[in-house]
Amino acid sequence: MAKTRTTPTTPATPPSPTARPARAAKPASTPAPRRRPARAAATAPLDLALQGGGSHGAFTWGVLDRLLQDESLPIAAVSGTSAGALNAAVLACGWAAGGRAGARTALAAFWHDVGGQQACFGTAVPAMPAPADVDLSLFNLNQNPFYAWFNGFLRLFSPQQFNPLGLDPLRRIVERHVRPEMLMASPLRVFVTATQVRTGQARVFDNVRGPGCKGDLDVPALLASACLPQLFAPVMIDGEAYWDGGYSGNPALWPLIYCSEATDLLLVRINALSRPSVPDTAEEIADRVNEITFNAGLLGELRAIAFVQKLVAEGRLGSGDYKNLRLHMVADDAGLAPLGPSSKMNTNIAFLQALHALGLAAADRWLAEHRADVGVRGSLDIRKTFLAPGA
């Protein structure tokens, strides 16, 4: 269990994404009358929203690795939850130490360290080679007898019972790769979400010193954001217990709306929105319930953003009165389709490298197709992707 510390508290309920005036922006659905992609794309800053998902966060590592290679793409702020929070913090520390190249090096070192600690996310599996055309379904743990035993064990005992000393391999890894002084000195604004156990509300920690921010992001906050209650005892901060941020915001978008000047926001999505079949075993039902729960907060925020975009597009709200985001997304549903929720516990280094390669390719496709849209128009249709029936 993380040690208790004292910092200012934050409001439990996030403000409405429509409440704060912001700079004028054209509706995402309305093309600009005169498009100048080269100039706009080169100067418009981009915010990143990074989902959590256990070891699937290595996909996000690949996405970040590719984005960092584009020197013309300014990154202003990052919001992350769970594995997304860890990626954000390591990215910020690496950037503070050595710019874009330093960030790429830091992310690679972090994920190789995770791969060297097979039990980091809860389950150890034997190492295996990963050829270029590896079948990712081989990394699912459903047929692993140890995984089945472990799941049964978790239904009988709490972390406080089976791990009374609070041993946490993830803490040691995070402490090796996140230096608080570098995190606070980073030019990147970082926002990390954790869920307060008592109220169920999100608390957002940040590395920003200024109006509306607290500068309270540190290692305990990162561990709180990645604290799955089945595996770890709650992380205590300011006398409050915290669990994984995915339960309240995966990731939270509102800090980027209120605490960043950027109007382009790129979501890196790694959680499945839909599954092809209805679960029919106890394990499959529990896994699907977790996926739905971890997507609920994000869907709620996207619904509110889509509502504001609609009102602006209809002329019922002035575009200068509300922050009309230009949204983008990197995802690879087809590439990640062979993976079930059990694979999120697999930290085999070959698996992490395969996920990195998928993320790198997905980001490369997004840059080829939508890089010129940054600063000009959104490339993500919220209603079609997230809100339409059967989406």
Side-chain angles (χ1 to χ4, degrees):
M1 184 182 298
K3 64 181 181 180
T4 302
R5 60 181 179 81
T6 302
T7 61
T9 58
T10 189
T13 304
S16 165
T18 64
R20 175 181 179 268
R23 292 182 177 180
K26 290 184 174 60
S29 58
T30 304
R34 180 177 297 175
R35 189 181 184 191
R36 294 183 294 176
R39 181 178 178 184
T43 58
L46 183 69
D47 286 343
L48 303 178
L50 311 181
Q51 279 199 318
S55 60
H56 290 195
F59 175 90
T60 303
W61 163 34
V63 172
L64 296 174
D65 199 13
R66 180 62 186 91
L67 296 180
L68 289 167
Q69 295 176 44
D70 187 342
E71 297 281 348
S72 71
L73 186 65
I75 300 174
V78 189
S79 178
T81 293
S82 197
L86 302 180
N87 271 319
V90 173
L91 167 70
C93 288
W95 196 304
R100 291 175 177 267
R104 294 182 64 197
T105 299
L107 286 164
F110 171 76
W111 283 102
H112 279 86
D113 201 355
V114 170
Q117 304 288 326
Q118 294 292 340
C120 180
F121 285 100
T123 301
V125 296
M128 60 184 295
D133 58 348
V134 63
D135 178 2
L136 288 183
S137 67
L138 296 174
F139 294 101
N140 289 322
L141 301 176
N142 305 65
Q143 304 304 316
N144 186 313
F146 176 77
Y147 177 76
W149 174 87
F150 188 71
N151 264 353
F153 181 84
L154 292 179
R155 294 189 183 99
L156 297 175
F157 301 98
S158 71
Q160 292 91 329
Q161 291 173 314
F162 68 74
N163 185 15
L165 298 179
L167 302 178
D168 185 355
L170 182 58
R171 169 181 282 277
R172 295 194 297 270
I173 294 176
V174 174
E175 288 176 341
R176 283 197 291 268
H177 296 273
V178 176
R179 295 168 53 192
E181 67 275 14
M182 299 303 292
L183 188 58
M184 299 307 297
S186 179
L188 296 181
R189 294 187 170 199
V190 178
F191 304 93
V192 166
T193 303
T195 304
Q196 191 179 92
V197 177
R198 184 176 56 84
T199 65
Q201 297 294 325
R203 174 170 173 179
V204 175
F205 302 85
D206 63 66
N207 69 336
V208 184
R209 300 187 190 279
C213 298
K214 302 171 294 298
D216 55 354
L217 180 57
D218 56 11
V219 169
L222 293 170
L223 295 175
S225 183
C227 180
L228 288 172
Q230 300 88 348
L231 300 178
F232 306 108
V235 176
M236 301 299 298
I237 300 175
D238 297 339
E240 290 283 357
Y242 289 90
W243 280 339
D244 196 293
Y247 295 111
S248 54
N250 190 23
L253 303 183
W254 59 268
L256 300 176
I257 296 174
Y258 295 98
C259 301
S260 172
E261 293 299 319
T263 51
D264 285 271
L265 191 158
L266 174 65
L267 170 66
V268 181
R269 181 173 62 78
I270 58 178
N271 271 7
L273 291 174
S274 62
R275 291 289 178 181
S277 59
V278 177
D280 57 8
T281 68
E283 181 182 354
E284 290 173 348
I285 291 170
D287 287 340
R288 186 58 185 146
V289 167
N290 279 335
E291 285 183 330
I292 293 171
T293 302
F294 272 58
N295 282 327
L298 175 64
L299 291 176
E301 288 198 82
L302 289 174
R303 186 178 297 276
I305 292 170
F307 181 64
V308 171
Q309 290 179 335
K310 179 175 181 292
L311 294 179
V312 172
E314 293 173 349
R316 297 164 66 184
L317 289 178
S319 61
D321 297 328
Y322 295 86
K323 190 171 185 179
N324 188 20
L325 292 173
R326 295 184 288 266
L327 292 175
H328 313 273
M329 182 176 73
V330 173
D332 187 357
D333 289 334
L336 296 176
L339 299 175
S342 68
S343 65
K344 295 179 181 181
M345 307 277 280
N346 189 340
T347 54
N348 183 297
I349 185 58
F351 179 44
L352 301 182
Q353 290 171 332
L355 289 170
H356 171 271
L358 279 180
L360 195 77
D364 196 57
R365 290 192 298 272
W366 180 80
L367 286 169
E369 296 170 8
H370 299 297
R371 174 64 182 90
D373 290 327
V374 177
V376 180
R377 56 174 56 81
S379 59
L380 171 64
D381 186 331
I382 298 177
R383 295 186 178 277
K384 180 179 179 180
T385 305
F386 292 94
L387 306 181

